[in-house]
Every structure is written in C-alpha cells, then in structure tokens.
Amino acid sequence: MASHLLRQPRWVLVAAAPALLFLSLVVPFSAAKLTTGYYRKSCPRVEQIVSDVVTNKQISSPTTAAGALRLFFHDCFVGGCDASVLISTNAFNRAERDADINLSLPGDAFDAVVRAKTALELQCPGTVSCADILALATRDLVSMLGGPFYAVPLGRKDGLASHAASVEGNLPRPNMTMDAMIALFAAKGFTEQEMVALAGAHTVGFSHCKEFAARIFRAFDPSMDPRFAQALQKACAKYVEDDTIATFNDVMTPGKFDNMYYLNLKRGLGLLTSDHALVADRRTKPLVDLYAANQSAFFRDFSRAMLKLGLLGVKTGRQGEVRRRCHDFNNLFA
C-alpha cells in the first residue's frame, strides 16, 4: 500500500434502528445480471464474513466507515464500480489511487477491503470480487453508524484497467459551482435529488483544511457562522506546514450517520464551498430543507441513490475478473 494512504489526519476540531430497504430500478443490461443471491451456493456466508471483518475494523479504527463511503464513490464515478481504485501503481502503470484527488483516500478503508478479501479467500477461494466486497463493506459500515441498511445486488467483476489519467473530470471538487456539480452528476445519470441525497454522506468523515481554506482565511465567507469560521481558522492555522490537518465534516455528530449534515447547512455550518452551494441554490435548497426536517426521507433517498451508484458501470462475465489480491490485476500487464 502506498505510504500516502497510511497517513492519518490530525484531528484538531471535535465538536435509529436501521431499516432493510429493497428497491427496484431500471438498470443497464450488465447491472441487471446482479442479484442479492449471487453467492448463495458458491460462498453462502459472504455477507456475514464481510460484516464481521469490517465491524472489527471500524471498532479499532473509527474513521473506516467514512473512508469506505468515499472510496466507494470514487471507485464508481470513475469507470464504474469495479474496484479499479484499489489497484496499486507499478512500474508499468500509474493507477487511479495515485491521482491527485485520490491521494487523501484513507488507508483504513483500503485495509478493510483487503482484510475482508483475505478472510473470503480462506473460505471461498477465487470467488468473491473486490468490487462486491467494497459495496458490501460500505453498506455495512453505514448501517453500523446508525444509517440505513439496504439490499446490495452482487455479481460485479473486478475491472481490468486503472489509470490515474482517467480520474480528472469525473469526481466533484470541493470548490465546484452548483451548475458544475449538477452537470457532473447528470453525466453519470443522477438527478439533482440523488446528488443531494448522496451529499449526505458528509454527515460522517473529515476534510483537510486546504479544501476549505479559501473560506476562512483573509476574509470569512459571510455565509458561514462567524464563530464556526473563527474556530476553523484557529484549528487550521498551520495547515500550510502540515497538510494532514483535518476537521470533521459534521462538527455536531461526527460519528453518527444521520441528517445533521443538512441541519448544519441551514445553520451556516457547512464546511466546503460545494456544501454551502446546496443550501444556497434554489434548485437544491428544497431538498436540503426536506432532509433536515425528515431523516426518514433522507435515509430512503440515500439508500435508493446508493443502490443506483452501486450499479454504475459494473462489469460482469468476461468484462472483468475476480482478483486474487485486490490491489493487483491477476495479469500484471492488464
């Protein structure tokens, strides 16, 4: 694992029973081949094994859940949900995980998938793809933090390509305008509502100070609560010398998956420029208001959006492989 992925952020600012949801969508042909019973005969304990491993990992490393959410999103939005983000760079190829925007992906999330893969290889060798493991792990970790538990169709194959050059332009940036955000998500087939629901993942996790420094230094962004901006300025005072300094996305309930993110936006406690844009834009503000007032609505729409995300660009059959190790193609020269 690359050394930059093992670096942990410096924490300087701290501040419902899950429901099983089965959802139906119109999906592309490859995604239609996925089914919740895909491993029923070949690896019947797959979900329990993944759950056990990632639960233990989350207990020992509490940032794992938020990291897995981000890892899953970054994987799916670049070429589809095929575990290409897990591939390590080698002498022949600079992989996705070494693209600039992916350098801060937390090592604990990668480690959770690797541990689950190791456990599954002992039980069901060469059977369960890394892409399916990442999808299951993300769902289980969201649920572990109090979020919704939704069905995950399985049968993805692991991708055969991973190139850092393919990342740029496929992932949202912290300073994006709402027009740019909507256009990016629309290009992937997501509505404005699905975009706002997926943004709710920011109810957990952290952001590095460099990602929002422009909002708090020189002059405070007037859309921010002044006390919040002052606290961030103090917390991030040395971020130029130490780029690992980070703050929680949700300073109120950072370890709980809930709708507090949306409440924070309405109070001027949004961290990123792209966060604030959701409550400032007339197209997305009604959705922020809805989710701030109704956590059940947020959980319902988040689950639907995550299911759709998990079907994005999946590979099946000969389009991919089941990797022996998640960070390497089975064929070095793939």
Side-chain angles (χ1 to χ4, degrees):
M1 183 175 292
S3 60
H4 66 261
L5 293 171
L6 298 176
R7 298 167 65 194
Q8 297 300 319
R10 279 186 50 209
W11 301 107
V12 292
L13 181 67
V14 180
L20 176 62
L21 301 177
F22 289 89
L23 309 163
S24 60
L25 293 170
V26 177
V27 297
F29 180 71
S30 291
K33 294 182 179 180
L34 273 57
T35 170
T36 54
Y38 186 82
Y39 297 108
R40 184 172 292 120
K41 293 182 179 179
S42 60
C43 195
R45 296 189 62 248
V46 57
E47 294 201 34
Q48 187 61 56
I49 291 170
V50 171
S51 178
D52 289 345
V53 170
V54 300
T55 295
N56 289 332
K57 177 64 181 178
Q58 174 67 18
I59 291 171
S60 63
S61 302
T63 61
T64 302
L69 260 171
R70 188 164 174 241
L71 188 64
F72 183 62
F73 181 83
H74 281 225
D75 183 46
C76 294
F77 253 48
V78 180
C81 305
D82 61 358
S84 54
V85 75
L86 303 179
I87 290 292
S88 293
T89 291
N90 58 37
F92 308 99
N93 177 55
R94 182 167 172 256
E96 285 177 28
R97 69 197 283 176
D98 282 317
D100 175 65
I101 197 171
N102 285 337
L103 294 178
S104 61
L105 290 172
D108 284 328
F110 288 85
D111 185 55
V113 176
V114 169
R115 291 187 185 200
K117 177 64 170 175
T118 300
L120 286 165
E121 285 298 300
L122 294 173
Q123 291 289 320
C124 320
T127 302
V128 183
S129 69
C130 301
D132 277 346
I133 293 171
L134 179 55
L136 286 170
T138 302
R139 186 273 310 275
D140 291 343
L141 288 163
V142 166
S143 177
M144 187 177 177
L145 295 187
F149 186 93
Y150 48 92
V152 175
L154 302 170
R156 299 167 187 79
K157 290 296 178 65
D158 297 322
L160 301 174
S162 177
H163 304 292
S166 66
V167 175
E168 186 59 38
N170 282 298
L171 292 169
R173 292 281 184 172
N175 59 350
M176 266 188 170
T177 65
M178 186 49 56
D179 285 341
M181 290 277 288
I182 289 173
L184 175 63
F185 276 79
K188 306 292 183 182
F190 288 84
T191 66
E192 293 168 13
Q193 181 180 43
E194 290 163 340
M195 179 189 73
V196 177
L198 288 171
H202 284 182
T203 193
V204 294
F206 60 88
S207 294
H208 291 90
C209 292
K210 65 181 179 180
E211 296 173 339
F212 56 87
R215 299 190 72 201
I216 60 172
F217 290 109
R218 298 187 184 92
F220 293 157
D221 185 328
S223 66
M224 267 189 168
D225 179 285
R227 291 169 299 178
F228 180 52
Q230 290 167 8
L232 290 172
Q233 189 181 55
K234 182 177 180 181
C236 295
K238 296 183 179 180
Y239 86 95
V240 175
E241 298 90 51
D242 184 356
D243 63 6
T244 67
I245 298 176
T247 66
F248 289 117
N249 292 326
D250 171 4
V251 295
M252 306 302 290
T253 56
K256 185 179 180 182
F257 194 95
D258 54 20
N259 67 335
M260 186 60 70
Y261 167 74
Y262 302 102
L263 289 163
N264 287 341
L265 295 184
K266 292 167 65 69
R267 297 166 178 164
L269 303 178
L271 198 58
L272 306 176
T273 299
S274 55
D275 291 329
H276 171 68
L278 293 175
V279 74
D281 192 282
R282 61 178 178 78
R283 293 165 291 184
T284 50
K285 184 180 184 299
L287 293 164
V288 172
D289 292 339
L290 170 64
Y291 298 148
N294 188 336
Q295 181 168 278
S296 295
F298 165 48
F299 280 10
R300 178 198 64 215
D301 291 349
F302 178 82
S303 297
R304 289 174 175 166
M306 286 295 287
L307 173 57
K308 184 173 178 177
L309 176 63
L311 301 178
L312 186 61
V314 298
K315 281 74 176 175
T316 59
R318 295 183 179 181
Q319 296 173 327
E321 64 184 3
V322 175
R323 291 185 205 137
R324 290 184 290 271
R325 298 189 301 176
C326 289
H327 60 277
D328 289 326
F329 298 118
N330 291 343
N331 179 353
L332 178 62
F333 300 99

